[in-house]
Amino acid sequence: MVPVHDLGVAALAILGVAFLIGWSSARLNQATLLWGIAHLSLAGATFTGYRYHLQPESLWLGVMATLLTGFFLASLHGGTNFLRGRIIGPGTLIGRSLGVAFLIAVVGIGGDKRAASILVLGLMMLVYGVSAYLCLRMHYRLLAAAFSLKTAAFLLYFLEPSTIGTPFQNPDILSVGWVSSVLLGLVLVDAAIAQTRQRLSNVIKHLPDALVARRLDGKILFCNDRFAQLAGSASPAELEGQQVPLLTREQEEAEAMFRKVNAMVQSGPMDAPMRLERAVTPARGEPFPAEIIFSSYMDLGYPVILGLIRDLSERKRGEEERLHQANTDQLTGLPNRRFLEQQLDAVLWIAHRQHTQCAVLLIDLDHFKKVNDTLGHAFGDELLREIAQALQDQLRPGDLLARLSGDEFALVMAGLPSLMSILEVEARALALLQLIRRQFKSDGMDYQIEASIGVAFSTREGLSAPVLLQRAEVAMYESKARGRGGWCFFESDMDERLAESLRLESALRQAVPRGELRLHYQPIYSCSTGRMTKAEALVRWENPQLGWVPPGRFIPAAEESSLILEVGQWILEEAIRQAAQWRAQSGLAPVISINVSVRQFAQPGFESQVFALLERYGVPPAGIELELTETLLASDQEDLPALLHRLHDAGVGLSLDDFGTGYSSLSYLSRFSLNTVKIDRSFVMGLQESSRNHSLVRAIISMAHSLHLNVVAEGVETWRQYEILKAEGCDYLQGYLLGRPMAADQLRAHPQVLAGEESNIPDAVI
Ligand code: C2E
Ligand code: MG
Ligand code: MG
């Protein structure tokens, strides 16, 4: 039969197990774990302690009782401390337990078991008393009372000090101890449950979103503080059992939504949450955008609807900010191309509906790159900001202004009446040009900022924004080509030109890799020796789809894109390779004239590219001549004179092509290091008929000679022209009379010397 005092042991053990079960369902509640350990330890300590008193020779029982008592005291204290947020680790717990056990053992080994019992009793009273005090401070009044009762119960033990902790204690005193222990255990279980509940309610209370649970009749089961605040209540408790207030201005819409959710829930719990975005109007304050999420669950067999209101103001603000940034040019603060294209589509649609017109004025600054490169980007940025501000200041209602890229702005004029709009736009373009035009001096240099404007109108057929912008761009380039600082309206043939150049460009892109390009060579004879001293390399392109494309058509298209760089490099290498081959094969060494376009010269590394090719193929610099255009000399390429000088010094020939057709500025002839001037074919053509042309040719030759330049006459087609040019002292002659452009091997077979007799002149084609 179980001794009566072991009933208390069993009661304590059951309490300990109950705590551990509670802990297994709410693991983060460390108090229940520690109290479980405490009560199991107490049960163990009492069990072994009693037996030690009955068999004092069994020392291990004494050791166990002491150790378990230490565990009991340390874990009970730890559990209570957890309630005020102090968490202890297993190491600390074991350390403290062993410390207490050691203290008891020391006193016990000192020989006085009674003193050890009184010490244990004192420590227990201390721990329970401190726990009572802590609980009182934390307003766990019931728990504080239970701890106090337990502390007080210990006082009874002092009525019979000799029986403390033994099985010989007075059963009445023992009963009071047990009852107080069981009471304390029950209250502790309640406190643990309350703490778990408190934690859950804290989560809901501090949820930033408003949360409400309601029944189908609209009465609130519970809600959190945020919801109560939105509903204008002081606390959630005030709202419980009340009808849910509708937090919206559109009452009808809200009620419909309410009914819809009810109907969904009546037919069973919702499968997935329902999400809506609505403006929520709180009882006090401004409406705000919110996400409302409905879900449902069953509570004691009744459906409950859970509503969550999430404030989206912050997110919306962020989105608006991002949208603003995505649509705004950071430098000037003006709308950017993306925004303009979006808005322009809407403007065009309205114009189409209202039978009005709109115009896009594409404004591109002239010579901005020069300012940027010489005066620095900070200066360039400031200038752009200044111009953007000036453009903005002149805006009229309905206008749309944007910075498209770099130095390119677009102004959209909307709602123009169809008639008269050209005049209005013209006046506006003129005003814009004046507004932008400015001059300034820096470091002794004069700078002039102007703009070129391309204008495109919407049409009846309705154009898309990108097409209209592209048309304005085409017109703007046309305006630049006609001389900067003006404006130009888009015309349909510009479109065809654009399409043609795009077609050519895409076919040309494949021309080099597919080997569709060839070089032909046209002989150039010296008048004094009659020898073929030079040959001009002329590119030929045969495309399977387009057929034979003359260079006059595709070179300008290549120049508009950067394709000319790839094509030009191929020409340069092929011409030098051919020159090397001729030299190696037959000693035939005409100087090869190679046409070079402006963009090739502007390309960094052009000079080293030329020298590298000459070296690779073993051709001396004097074996080639570069044909330049007047456009190159007129371009404001800063380092051009120095670059030409270096090439010239190295021995590379430099000739000015098509002289007389362009700017024909005499200053170019003296300013740049040139060797040769090529008189354009148009002057040679009219030599016989026009005495004016004759005089011009004579003047060009004598002027060139006075500057120590050689003269080549291009396009010599007749024997008469040949005679005149020779008589005028022209140095070299080139033309169909002397030889058409031909493949490299044909040139080898072509007469190398002109005998001066008509019969010796190779097959003239007139
Ligand atoms: P260009 O450099 O002035 O070349 C002379 C053009 O006049 C060549 O036309 C040549 O075939 C033509 N020509 C020569 N003698 C006569 C003649 O007696 N009568 C007539 N009617 N024409 C004659 P092509 O080959 O069609 O070249 C046209 C233009 O294309 C060239 O003018 C040059 O500006 C450009 N080009 C040709 N090849 C190249 C090249 O390899 N690179 C670059 N950048 N441009 C090139
Ligand atoms: Mg040429
Ligand atoms: Mg020429």
Side-chain angles (χ1 to χ4, degrees):
M1 202 182 132
V2 180
V4 67
H5 47 256
D6 281 347
L7 286 176
V9 173
L12 287 169
I14 290 170
L15 206 57
V17 170
F19 275 126
L20 291 186
I21 291 172
W23 172 73
S24 73
S25 62
R27 287 190 170 244
L28 285 177
N29 190 342
Q30 203 197 29
T32 51
L33 173 69
L34 291 173
W35 289 335
I37 293 172
H39 284 86
L40 284 177
S41 306
L42 183 58
T46 313
F47 184 81
T48 47
Y50 283 173
R51 273 157 191 72
Y52 180 54
H53 277 284
L54 297 174
Q55 310 157 38
E57 69 285 358
S58 300
L59 201 62
W60 68 272
L61 285 173
V63 172
M64 280 302 285
T66 313
L67 280 175
L68 288 168
T69 306
F71 259 113
F72 161 66
L73 288 168
S75 40
L76 186 75
H77 181 67
T80 313
N81 257 330
F82 178 78
L83 290 187
R84 44 177 206 146
R86 304 231 173 126
I87 297 173
I88 63 163
T92 319
L93 180 69
I94 292 173
R96 282 187 193 168
S97 305
L98 292 177
V100 174
F102 181 71
L103 187 65
I104 298 167
V106 167
V107 175
I109 291 165
D112 197 343
K113 263 196 203 169
R114 198 162 156 262
S117 298
I118 290 174
L119 174 68
V120 170
L121 195 65
L123 285 174
M124 280 185 173
M125 285 180 74
L126 185 69
V127 171
Y128 282 118
V130 167
S131 297
Y133 170 71
L134 290 179
C135 290
L136 195 66
R137 263 190 39 191
M138 287 181 290
H139 306 292
Y140 292 129
R141 289 198 184 85
L142 198 59
L143 203 53
F147 272 118
S148 305
L149 180 68
K150 183 74 198 160
T151 318
F154 282 117
L155 289 173
L156 293 175
Y157 287 61
F158 284 101
L159 293 175
E160 288 182 0
S162 57
T163 62
I164 289 173
T166 70
F168 316 111
Q169 248 173 350
N170 180 322
D172 296 333
I173 295 175
L174 215 53
S175 312
V176 173
W178 288 352
V179 168
S180 60
S181 280
V182 170
L183 264 179
L184 174 64
L186 290 175
V187 175
L188 281 176
V189 169
D190 179 64
I193 293 170
Q195 218 231 351
T196 304
R197 200 187 306 130
Q198 181 65 33
R199 188 179 296 149
L200 201 65
S201 80
N202 272 343
V203 170
I204 294 170
K205 185 180 164 75
H206 293 104
L207 201 66
D209 304 329
L211 188 72
V212 59
R214 68 162 175 84
R215 298 192 317 212
L216 291 186
D217 60 6
K219 288 197 174 144
I220 291 182
L221 276 182
F222 76 84
C223 65
N224 68 353
D225 289 38
R226 176 76 180 127
F227 183 83
Q229 185 197 354
L230 292 180
S233 270
S235 78
E238 257 181 34
L239 281 174
E240 276 167 26
Q242 306 290 320
Q243 296 270 346
V244 177
L246 295 174
L247 301 172
T248 174
R249 278 198 185 139
E250 282 76 30
Q251 295 283 320
E252 268 179 38
E253 190 198 350
E255 272 163 29
M257 193 168 77
F258 200 87
R259 281 195 296 277
K260 190 175 160 194
V261 175
N262 272 11
M264 281 173 79
V265 172
Q266 257 161 355
S267 54
M270 292 158 82
D271 299 332
M274 185 172 129
R275 290 163 196 277
L276 308 160
E277 275 198 24
R278 291 276 186 288
V280 163
T281 312
R284 281 183 287 275
E286 289 300 306
F288 60 87
E291 181 183 28
I292 305 173
I293 305 171
F294 290 111
S295 57
S296 72
Y297 64 90
M298 298 301 280
D299 183 35
L300 300 174
Y302 289 97
V304 174
I305 298 164
L306 201 61
L308 184 128
I309 302 171
R310 176 164 297 161
D311 189 343
L312 298 182
S313 315
E314 200 67 26
R315 198 204 295 173
K316 294 265 177 210
R317 260 198 298 280
E319 276 169 13
E320 274 166 24
E321 180 69 18
R322 276 195 295 282
L323 196 69
H324 178 74
Q325 277 184 356
N327 286 332
T328 308
D329 165 50
Q330 298 304 311
L331 180 72
T332 59
L334 290 181
N336 59 14
R337 177 184 280 273
R338 185 188 127 108
F339 182 78
L340 183 92
E341 281 186 1
Q342 282 168 0
Q343 295 297 305
L344 187 55
D345 267 329
V347 168
L348 284 170
W349 187 79
I350 293 169
H352 191 63
R353 300 272 314 237
Q354 295 180 344
H355 303 292
T356 57
Q357 260 194 319
C358 74
V360 173
L361 284 77
L362 201 104
I363 307 155
D364 193 282
L365 305 187
D366 298 330
H367 307 300
F368 177 72
K369 189 177 173 305
K370 187 174 160 193
V371 171
N372 225 6
D373 290 349
T374 51
L375 299 180
H377 285 258
F379 187 90
D381 286 354
E382 191 47 47
L383 186 67
L384 285 174
R385 270 196 287 266
E386 194 186 304
I387 289 173
Q389 189 58 49
L391 289 173
Q392 201 159 24
D393 290 346
Q394 56 81 51
L395 285 186
R396 301 177 191 168
D399 282 353
L400 197 61
L401 176 69
R403 177 176 174 228
L404 302 189
S405 63
D407 58 353
E408 210 175 60
F409 297 86
L411 174 72
V412 176
M413 293 171 69
L416 298 169
S418 297
L419 287 170
M420 308 295 291
S421 49
I422 290 191
L423 291 179
E424 193 180 331
V425 172
E426 236 172 3
R428 192 74 186 277
L430 186 65
L432 288 175
L433 289 176
Q434 281 166 354
L435 185 79
I436 293 170
R437 189 168 297 141
R438 56 202 68 210
Q439 271 176 324
F440 52 88
K441 252 187 194 312
S442 179
D443 290 338
M445 294 252 286
D446 284 325
Y447 293 89
Q448 169 143 10
I449 290 292
E450 280 184 318
S452 299
I453 299 182
V455 185
F457 282 97
S458 60
T459 61
R460 262 167 219 232
E461 308 86 67
L463 299 170
S464 69
V467 171
L468 194 59
L469 277 169
Q470 195 188 32
R471 286 186 165 191
E473 198 171 323
V474 170
M476 187 273 290
Y477 282 121
E478 185 65 32
S479 159
K480 282 205 188 260
R482 289 181 191 174
R484 293 158 189 243
W487 74 87
C488 177
F489 286 107
F490 174 81
E491 284 157 25
S492 56
D493 69 323
M494 292 181 193
D495 223 8
E496 280 153 28
R497 286 211 301 274
L498 179 76
E500 152 93 359
S501 95
L502 287 178
R503 235 187 347 264
L504 275 182
E505 195 188 307
S506 83
L508 191 58
R509 214 166 275 283
Q510 306 296 328
V512 174
R514 287 189 185 158
E516 292 172 5
L517 297 181
R518 321 232 159 294
L519 280 191
H520 276 192
Y521 300 86
Q522 187 176 27
I524 301 173
Y525 289 92
S526 156
C527 286
S528 55
T529 64
R531 290 194 154 271
M532 185 206 288
T533 42
K534 300 191 200 194
E536 178 173 3
L538 293 159
V539 69
R540 298 290 175 258
W541 176 28
E542 191 153 14
N543 177 270
Q545 279 82 42
L546 302 169
W548 186 80
V549 190
R553 236 177 95 199
F554 74 83
I555 292 287
E559 274 171 342
E560 270 170 31
S561 67
S562 53
L563 264 176
I564 190 67
L565 301 180
E566 195 187 341
V567 172
Q569 172 159 13
W570 180 86
I571 292 169
L572 199 62
E573 173 156 8
E574 175 59 18
I576 294 175
R577 188 198 63 75
Q578 186 59 61
Q581 192 180 336
W582 275 329
R583 281 161 189 266
Q585 279 173 352
S586 55
L588 175 73
V591 172
I592 308 287
S593 283
I594 306 166
N595 294 282
V596 182
S597 76
V598 178
R599 288 188 69 163
Q600 270 178 282
F601 259 101
Q603 184 192 18
F606 172 75
E607 181 188 358
S608 46
Q609 187 188 345
V610 171
F611 289 126
L613 286 171
L614 290 172
E615 199 178 316
R616 178 167 356 139
Y617 290 101
V619 175
I624 61 164
E625 185 177 73
L626 302 181
E627 289 196 12
L628 325 173
T629 58
E630 285 185 285
T631 326
L632 172 71
L633 304 186
S635 72
D636 36 17
Q637 215 176 300
E638 232 179 88
D639 47 353
L640 187 67
L643 169 64
L644 295 183
H645 202 75
R646 288 197 297 275
L647 287 166
H648 184 265
D649 275 2
V652 175
L654 296 173
S655 78
L656 181 58
D657 204 355
D658 305 337
F659 188 74
T661 51
Y663 309 87
S664 305
S665 163
L666 296 183
S667 71
Y668 296 149
L669 300 181
S670 55
R671 216 167 87 213
F672 298 98
S673 320
L674 302 171
N675 307 80
T676 309
V677 173
K678 292 186 83 172
I679 304 177
D680 190 65
R681 189 158 55 87
S682 52
F683 295 99
V684 177
M685 226 156 53
L687 259 185
Q688 291 148 271
E689 296 82 30
S690 147
S691 60
R692 191 172 165 271
N693 268 13
H694 195 146
S695 314
L696 268 173
V697 168
R698 181 180 296 154
I700 294 172
I701 294 172
S702 78
M703 181 192 60
H705 283 169
S706 66
L707 291 166
H708 309 291
L709 295 168
N710 287 317
V711 181
V712 178
E714 294 184 311
V716 182
E717 293 188 351
T718 66
W719 180 234
R720 184 81 193 108
Q721 288 163 351
Y722 175 90
E723 295 278 272
I724 297 174
L725 288 162
K726 207 174 163 187
E728 290 300 341
C730 185
D731 307 283
Y732 299 96
L733 300 174
Q734 174 185 7
Y736 287 176
L737 177 75
L738 311 169
R740 285 182 169 251
M742 59 191 91
D745 46 353
Q746 286 175 304
L747 192 81
R748 266 180 79 193
H750 205 74
Q752 300 298 309
V753 187
L754 292 176
E757 301 283 337
E758 197 174 350
S759 58
N760 288 334
I761 294 173
D763 309 333
V765 183
I766 303 170

